[in-house]
Amino acid sequence: MGVDYYNILKVDRNATEDDLKKAYRKLAMKWHPDKNPTNKKEAEANFKQISEAYDVLSDPQKRAIYDQHGEEGLKDRPPPDSEPSGGFNPRNAEDIFAEFFGSSPFGFGSSGPGKSKRFSSDGGGAFNGFGGNENIFRTYSERGNMLKKPPPVETKLPCSLEELYSGSTRKMKISRTVIDANGRPCPETEILTIEVKPGWKKGTKITFPDKGNQQPNQQAADLVFVIDEKPHDLFKRDSNDLIVSQRVSLAEAIGGTSINLKTLDNRSLCIPVTDIVSPGYELVVANEGMPITKEPGHRGDLRIIFELEE
């Protein structure tokens, strides 16, 4: 069959018109050469293939011929209203893009029906207008109307101290507005998975690119979850250390005692106190604090601060 247009658009052979529009929109925005200034050759090749595939599959007559005879059948078919010697001549890539999106977000435009300032299909063949002596691609500084990226949308992700100690998996259902294949806003819901790592601190950010709301003629915003630490009944966190307050009687302060604590991962600690304890005395238990994310296997300290019972 030659070129597999369905595979190029990543749709199945039963794809509806809406499926084709969604696939074209996503891929054309990804591979437009103006969005790939450091990888123009590959972008140009992919962009023209995507456009050609959409041109064929979105046209019921062309699609029927392609489904029956493949790419060769299209090329052997005379173009409408012409001599029978031409064969299939794909439409101009950027003209399709401009018709699909309206005014171009990348700063190009057609100079008339069937004519594009950058991709010309004159001279036969599929999108033969790449290259040449003209400086057909403008630099970023010359085109100031690229699709604007709005600021990221931040939302708090409250986590218990136990979650930040042991780690956890969070499933977050989000609702957002996206622009559909016809350029209209529509609601969308999605489940995002966040792997909370042991030792993460308040303020840690997890970014999901392009998962925020989208406005017309703009890229979708990034969605950023910011770790927020819930208060704990027993422990307070100080960077990688855990702090706990402990009240003892005067007799215990002078004669010694033992402190029994339940850790954040549900272990039982029995900590002997042999020194004479004064108000504010601090006993440090090494390696019983929070995990240190950047140093796997290492933890901060547990700091027990004593108060005397009255």
Side-chain angles (χ1 to χ4, degrees):
M1 181 178 281
V3 177
D4 187 344
Y5 291 137
Y6 290 100
N7 186 54
I8 288 172
L9 288 183
K10 304 186 187 305
V11 296
D12 60 39
R13 300 186 70 84
N14 296 319
T16 64
E17 180 182 358
D18 193 49
D19 294 334
L20 295 172
K21 286 181 177 181
K22 288 179 179 179
Y24 173 80
R25 180 182 183 278
K26 179 180 178 180
L27 293 170
M29 292 294 290
K30 176 181 179 181
W31 287 110
H32 193 284
D34 278 357
K35 285 196 72 178
N36 296 271
T38 60
N39 193 25
K40 284 182 182 176
K41 288 186 178 180
E42 181 183 3
E44 290 167 8
N46 287 334
F47 184 65
K48 71 176 183 179
Q49 273 201 331
I50 292 160
S51 301
E52 182 175 332
Y54 179 74
D55 181 32
V56 171
L57 298 182
S58 63
D59 184 310
Q61 187 177 7
K62 293 178 185 177
R63 183 174 180 176
I65 295 171
Y66 173 75
D67 285 345
Q68 187 173 0
H69 302 291
E71 182 193 11
E72 293 79 6
L74 284 170
K75 290 184 176 178
D76 291 339
R77 167 179 170 264
D81 304 322
S82 71
E83 296 298 325
S85 58
F88 171 56
N89 186 26
R91 293 175 60 209
N92 181 276
E94 289 207 16
D95 284 345
I96 295 172
F97 188 91
E99 288 177 13
F100 195 91
F101 289 95
S103 58
S104 167
F106 298 112
F108 67 78
S110 296
S111 53
K115 296 285 187 179
S116 171
K117 292 182 180 179
R118 264 179 269 169
F119 295 95
S120 171
S121 56
D122 293 343
F127 308 98
N128 289 334
F130 296 102
N133 294 324
E134 297 181 18
N135 182 17
I136 58 176
F137 291 100
R138 289 172 289 176
T139 64
Y140 275 105
S141 61
E142 291 173 315
R143 54 181 193 271
N145 54 348
M146 292 284 289
L147 277 183
K148 180 182 177 182
K149 183 75 169 179
V153 178
E154 294 192 354
T155 185
K156 289 185 178 181
L157 180 64
C159 295
S160 68
L161 205 52
E162 285 85 356
E163 287 180 291
L164 297 176
Y165 185 91
S166 300
S168 68
T169 299
R170 300 286 293 272
K171 301 285 186 179
M172 306 297 295
K173 183 176 181 180
I174 64 167
S175 299
R176 64 193 187 108
T177 301
V178 298
I179 305 301
D180 67 13
N182 297 312
R184 296 190 295 264
C186 66
E188 182 178 89
T189 59
E190 186 175 353
I191 303 294
L192 302 179
T193 301
I194 301 174
E195 297 292 342
V196 177
K197 304 298 183 184
W200 273 4
K201 298 176 180 177
K202 181 177 180 178
T204 299
K205 295 184 177 183
I206 309 98
T207 300
F208 288 88
D210 303 327
K211 292 299 183 182
N213 289 325
Q214 185 179 18
Q215 300 294 329
N217 298 318
Q218 291 189 5
Q219 298 182 50
D222 293 342
L223 178 60
V224 181
F225 289 94
V226 184
I227 295 293
D228 192 27
E229 188 177 290
K230 296 179 182 177
H232 194 271
D233 291 339
L234 179 62
F235 296 102
K236 291 184 179 179
R237 184 176 184 176
D238 181 15
S239 187
N240 296 316
D241 292 347
L242 289 172
I243 299 174
V244 63
S245 295
Q246 181 68 39
R247 297 177 67 87
V248 293
S249 66
L250 181 59
E252 290 173 326
I254 297 174
T257 187
S258 294
I259 305 299
N260 296 303
L261 291 176
K262 187 75 74 175
T263 65
L264 291 171
D265 57 349
N266 213 33
R267 292 177 294 115
S268 295
L269 294 181
C270 182
I271 304 162
V273 181
T274 56
D275 293 340
I276 295 177
V277 172
S278 58
Y281 173 80
E282 183 175 298
L283 176 63
V284 176
V285 182
N287 208 40
E288 285 293 349
M290 295 294 293
I292 301 175
T293 305
K294 295 181 179 179
E295 300 178 28
H298 292 79
R299 299 180 186 273
D301 297 331
L302 171 63
R303 293 154 48 192
I304 305 172
I305 300 176
F306 287 88
E307 300 176 9
L308 294 182
E309 294 177 349
E310 295 180 356

